[in-house]
Amino acid sequence: MNISYSSLSQLHGELSIDLLKSDFQPKIKSELKRIRQTAQVKGFRQGHVPESMVQSMYGSAIKAEVINKLVNELVNNYQKDNNVMFMGDLLPITEPLTDEQFNADSIELKFEVGKAPEIDIDKIIAGLTISSYQIGVDEKVVNDSFDDLRERNKENVEVDSPIELNDMVELQVVELEGSAAKEGGVVSDFFVTVDHIITDELKDLLIGKSNGFQFEVDINLIEKDSTEKIVRKYLLKIPDENTELIYSSMFSATISKVMRKQVAVIDENFYSKVFGQDSEVKSETAALEFIKKDLEKYYQEQSEQIKFHEIIRAINHDSNIELPDEFLKKWLKVNFEEWNSVADQHEFDHKYYHYRETMIWRLVRDRIFVEKGLQVQFNDVQQSIIRGFKAQYPGIQLQDEQWQMLAAKSLENKEELQKHYDTCQTEKVLEWIAQQINSTDKPISIEEYKEIVKKLNSHDGHVNHHDHHDH
């Protein structure tokens, strides 16, 4: 067996593999013998299937498997011995082997390959200078956040004043026969919200009216896009099994209650509801102080995310790392329909541009992780999952044990486990880089921060900003 590499261009070459008959024929015969002993073919006892039949049924697959194993072994050893790494897969240059070639004294195989670049981590890190944004949280932002908490914790309160838009109105309805209540007719009550759900005619009628106002209404014209099922079940509350009950469309309706959302009263109940029963926040001053600290923590985390993002961008654009681009483009087209189907060259180049960025970052990340002895512990993965849950469901208050149980459940999925492991690996590497590089403090406002995020997201969507709603 012999393997050699010849360069076609920078990081792009041809791999030649020579296999002697003595390298593969004994392995093929051994595998055929093993299969003959275990093969179950109708009409023959196990272990007594004719050798020619086994050869006919399994010969081609076994030959290919043996050659593939030998090639993989040679390629893996070549990479280890020569301290190189091939990117993507081997692209065969030679045609598939024929039976005549398998009977020859030797086989020559040729593959097109792309080599990963040599990366000098210390040199890359030494050239990085990143801005460290100090996002200011001023008094107005804190006060607005407090007002927002009150707004989002509005409560429905019964009022005697005339109906306004978005009020909830309770209607008591009685089925009519002519202009009088129908004897034994349907009687019900239900709430409607004076908004876009109800018909415009009903909305115009209700606004400005008060408790006790009576009017006649077609029960089928209470809500837009209403159906008979909705009317029967939710407005008239007729049991599903009572399918024989027939009712007329006209009802007498009386406004019996008006409910309106009002800004939460600032009292002990409000603080307990917003900040938790065990919170020490019992006054507006304490609430504002808590919100300020919470916002500062939040925007510090966001600043770190921007820093991490800019580290990745700087490595991609400023490190001058080369890739075997022509090989990778060819490999992507050969192996993936989503790439081969891209007919427009501009679209393909744009897609490859982002793929290239991803590959450069992965090469650097993986090299740093191994070279600098970084590790991901189980607790790192668990905390990554918990942070994800908290970001997805802001405001949910759970005990540590409950969060850990949710994380453990998620870890039962191997794909989720691998995804969070990769996330932790990336975080470990970025944290290590952040500790090594020079960073320049740059104070900015929250509005300036949002503009930065907008620009970053317009490029590739790596940074996701969400308005801060923790409570």
Side-chain angles (χ1 to χ4, degrees):
M1 289 187 295
N2 184 51
I3 183 170
S4 60
Y5 175 86
S6 58
S7 177
L8 298 175
S9 61
Q10 186 179 17
L11 303 177
H12 183 193
E14 185 179 290
L15 206 59
S16 297
I17 296 177
D18 295 314
L19 299 175
L20 298 177
K21 190 173 185 178
S22 57
D23 295 325
F24 57 86
Q25 282 293 3
K27 296 179 184 294
I28 293 173
K29 288 182 179 179
S30 175
E31 188 63 16
L32 283 170
K33 182 178 179 181
R34 184 188 69 79
I35 289 181
R36 186 186 179 207
Q37 292 172 345
T38 59
Q40 294 182 346
V41 179
K42 189 175 181 179
F44 298 93
R45 287 182 296 141
Q46 185 173 325
H48 290 76
V49 181
E51 186 174 333
S52 59
M53 182 175 288
V54 174
Q55 172 72 34
S56 176
M57 294 174 65
Y58 303 103
S60 297
I62 290 172
K63 289 174 183 177
E65 182 181 348
V66 167
I67 295 299
N68 284 338
K69 285 183 177 179
L70 286 172
V71 168
N72 287 335
E73 181 182 339
L74 277 170
V75 171
N76 289 336
N77 288 337
Y78 179 87
Q79 291 180 97
K80 291 177 183 176
D81 295 342
N82 293 275
N83 195 29
V84 298
M85 182 177 74
F86 295 133
M87 301 185 70
D89 301 310
L90 307 181
L91 289 180
I93 297 175
T94 49
E95 295 294 324
L97 297 173
T98 64
D99 289 338
E100 184 179 349
Q101 287 175 300
F102 273 108
N103 293 324
D105 292 334
S106 64
I107 293 175
E108 182 182 31
L109 302 171
K110 290 183 179 295
F111 300 93
E112 195 174 344
V113 295
K115 291 171 65 175
E118 294 183 8
I119 298 175
D120 186 338
I121 295 300
D122 293 333
K123 182 179 179 181
I124 291 173
I125 299 303
L128 292 179
T129 300
I130 304 295
S131 295
S132 180
Y133 295 108
Q134 309 299 311
I135 305 170
V137 178
D138 57 30
E139 185 177 350
K140 182 180 183 304
V141 172
V142 175
N143 289 332
D144 287 347
S145 296
F146 183 70
D147 292 340
D148 181 64
L149 284 176
R150 293 188 65 195
E151 185 71 22
R152 287 190 289 114
N153 286 276
K154 280 182 174 181
E155 297 179 348
N156 279 317
V157 178
E158 186 173 357
V159 296
D160 293 326
S161 55
I163 294 171
E164 299 176 359
L165 193 65
N166 296 319
D167 283 350
M168 289 181 63
V169 178
E170 184 181 44
L171 297 178
Q172 293 183 344
V173 296
V174 178
E175 186 181 359
L176 294 176
E177 188 172 48
S179 59
K182 179 179 179 180
E183 185 176 351
V186 178
V187 176
S188 183
D189 59 79
F190 52 84
F191 276 96
V192 294
T193 303
V194 185
D195 59 8
H196 64 283
I197 300 297
I198 64 174
T199 61
D200 293 339
E201 294 78 8
L202 181 58
K203 181 166 61 176
D204 292 340
L205 176 65
L206 291 177
I207 291 178
K209 305 301 188 299
S210 301
N211 280 346
F213 176 73
Q214 290 185 324
F215 58 98
E216 291 184 8
V217 65
D218 185 332
I219 198 69
N220 299 305
L221 300 178
I222 296 289
E223 296 181 350
K224 296 176 182 176
D225 304 320
S226 186
T227 64
E228 181 182 358
K229 182 178 180 181
I230 291 174
V231 171
R232 293 180 70 92
K233 185 170 185 177
Y234 298 106
L235 301 187
L236 301 182
K237 301 175 184 176
I238 299 172
D240 291 342
E241 60 272 14
N242 193 355
T243 57
E244 297 180 357
L245 178 61
I246 305 298
Y247 56 88
S248 60
S249 60
M250 294 307 296
F251 280 72
S252 171
T254 303
I255 298 173
S256 57
K257 187 181 294 185
V258 179
M259 305 291 291
R260 183 172 299 153
K261 282 187 174 295
Q262 293 188 345
V263 176
V265 177
I266 302 176
D267 56 15
E268 189 172 337
N269 290 332
F270 170 78
Y271 294 125
S272 296
K273 180 181 179 181
V274 173
F275 299 100
Q277 293 285 346
D278 300 328
S279 172
E280 296 180 359
V281 176
K282 304 297 181 185
S283 67
E284 184 170 339
T285 300
L288 293 173
E289 184 178 347
F290 181 95
I291 291 170
K292 188 174 192 304
K293 289 181 179 178
D294 201 40
L295 285 171
E296 288 173 341
K297 178 183 177 183
Y298 169 77
Y299 283 113
Q300 177 60 35
E301 292 171 352
Q302 296 304 300
S303 175
E304 286 297 301
Q305 291 302 311
I306 294 176
K307 180 190 291 185
F308 291 163
H309 179 84
E310 292 194 341
I311 286 172
I312 294 174
R313 289 198 65 190
I315 288 173
N316 282 328
H317 295 281
D318 301 335
S319 58
N320 298 318
I321 294 176
E322 297 293 335
L323 292 182
D325 294 312
E326 293 309 310
F327 168 80
L328 288 174
K329 290 177 182 179
K330 184 175 181 180
W331 170 71
L332 288 167
K333 284 187 173 182
V334 168
N335 288 279
F336 303 99
E337 178 58 28
E338 63 183 284
W339 285 87
N340 189 46
S341 61
V342 179
D344 183 73
Q345 188 61 43
H346 177 75
E347 181 183 350
F348 183 91
D349 291 341
H350 179 76
K351 189 174 182 179
Y352 181 76
Y353 175 83
H354 290 291
Y355 171 83
R356 191 180 192 279
E357 286 186 325
T358 300
M359 291 305 299
I360 289 175
W361 165 242
R362 286 182 179 175
L363 287 169
V364 172
R365 183 197 69 174
D366 294 348
R367 177 65 64 85
I368 291 175
F369 191 79
V370 173
E371 190 176 296
K372 303 305 177 182
L374 305 181
Q375 293 182 335
V376 172
Q377 305 294 341
F378 172 79
N379 185 62
D380 297 322
V381 179
Q382 185 183 61
Q383 290 304 312
S384 173
I385 295 173
I386 292 173
R387 286 195 300 272
F389 280 139
K390 289 182 176 180
Q392 188 175 0
Y393 306 107
I396 292 182
Q397 304 291 332
L398 296 178
Q399 299 294 325
D400 289 344
E401 295 79 7
Q402 292 173 305
W403 286 118
Q404 290 165 7
M405 287 176 62
L406 286 173
K409 188 70 176 176
S410 181
L411 288 173
E412 293 176 4
N413 184 311
K414 290 184 178 180
E415 290 184 2
E416 282 293 306
L417 174 60
Q418 185 61 50
K419 182 181 76 173
H420 287 288
Y421 179 86
D422 289 343
T423 297
C424 289
Q425 184 179 359
T426 297
E427 289 174 350
K428 291 283 185 181
V429 170
L430 286 169
E431 288 168 1
W432 180 86
I433 295 174
Q435 292 172 359
Q436 313 303 314
I437 63 175
N438 297 319
S439 61
T440 304
D441 288 346
K442 187 175 181 180
I444 60 172
S445 67
I446 291 177
E447 290 306 315
E448 289 173 319
Y449 152 75
K450 290 179 179 179
E451 283 299 313
I452 291 172
V453 171
K454 184 178 179 180
K455 289 180 181 178
L456 293 176
N457 283 336
S458 67
H459 175 257
D460 54 15
H462 285 176
V463 174
N464 293 313
H465 162 75
H466 302 282
D467 288 334
H468 183 67
H469 294 313
D470 283 345
H471 306 294

